[in-house]
Amino acid sequence: MSSSPREIALVTSPAAGKGLGPGLRAAVARRLRDSGLVVRDLMGGDGEETLSLTRHAVGQGADGVVVIGGDGMFHLGLQAVAGTDVPIGLVPCGTGNDVARYFDLPRQDPMAAVDRIIAHRTRTIDLARSGDRWFVTVLAAGFDAVVNERANQMRWPRGQMRYQLATLAELRTFQPLHYTLDLDGEVRRVEAMLVAVGNGPSFGGGLRITEGALLDDGLLDVVIIKPMSRTGLVRTYPKLFAGTHVTHPKYEHHRVRKVTVAAAGIVAYADGERFGALPLSVECVGGALKVWV
């Protein structure tokens, strides 16, 4: 185990945790300082500035990064530390909190999560990489991504209801997509409702779309949901929370080191963030991240 950290970059943004992140900053910083750490408090005006500040702090020798927020803030922070020996910790206050689920972090008690960081126990995990961007949970590249894209264009309502309305709107018109997939060199052309690429097992607040995915096996889990009726899709949706959709006849699962996903007109999302238009090539990078657990 590495020596205990001396200086922590504490990172949040104005929008983190639906605005809750900034309010926690003072209490989190105080707890970290009381444990003997030097805290560099970072918050940019937006995500781009916040990431720039975080990368600068890591480049200047910060011994660790702690982000306050949800999966989106963790996604931002890991862009600064992926592929380095600098660990990252999470104080959860997001909506989905899948990263917190991965590491069994307290989701209702921020100070208990801070104490996990102070204890300085780390776990090394894999990450998924596409070009110069990384993700830790799941890349959504189908119906789920289309819903995200529609919801982001809606000004009303706010919160989770926006995604529910976007889902209903897309259900009325969505048609199966034509995909070209390269699975470790095996090219396949399929029609599907969605393709998901998982580094971990869940996204979207506990939807276990890539059930069985492990964070440290050196592989990506690619799930294909083949065409089904709107009624079938609605009936299958609740099974995602338990991971029992894996027995559905329209479910297909592959484990690969690298995958390329192509489909016309789709913008993929990863860690709940807008990631990029297809086609995208994604590879698993083993041992790319150290996390305080």
Side-chain angles (χ1 to χ4, degrees), residues 255-279:
R255 285 195 170 97
V256 300
R257 297 190 182 280
K258 185 174 181 179
V259 58
T260 299
V261 183
I266 297 298
V267 176
Y269 279 69
D271 297 338
E273 300 293 302
R274 205 171 194 265
F275 198 77
L278 300 184

Side-chain angles (χ1 to χ4, degrees), residues 73-124:
M73 276 304 299
F74 194 84
H75 178 84
L76 182 150
L78 72 84
Q79 308 305 316
V81 299
T84 76
D85 286 329
V86 178
I88 184 170
L90 174 66
V91 180
C93 67
T95 303
N97 286 324
D98 284 279
V99 174
R101 286 181 175 87
Y102 286 4
F103 303 111
D104 196 27
L105 297 176
R107 285 177 275 151
Q108 306 300 325
D109 187 348
M111 293 304 106
V114 177
D115 289 342
R116 298 279 186 93
I117 294 162
I118 291 169
H120 192 52
R121 289 187 292 269
T122 61
R123 178 181 172 188
T124 300

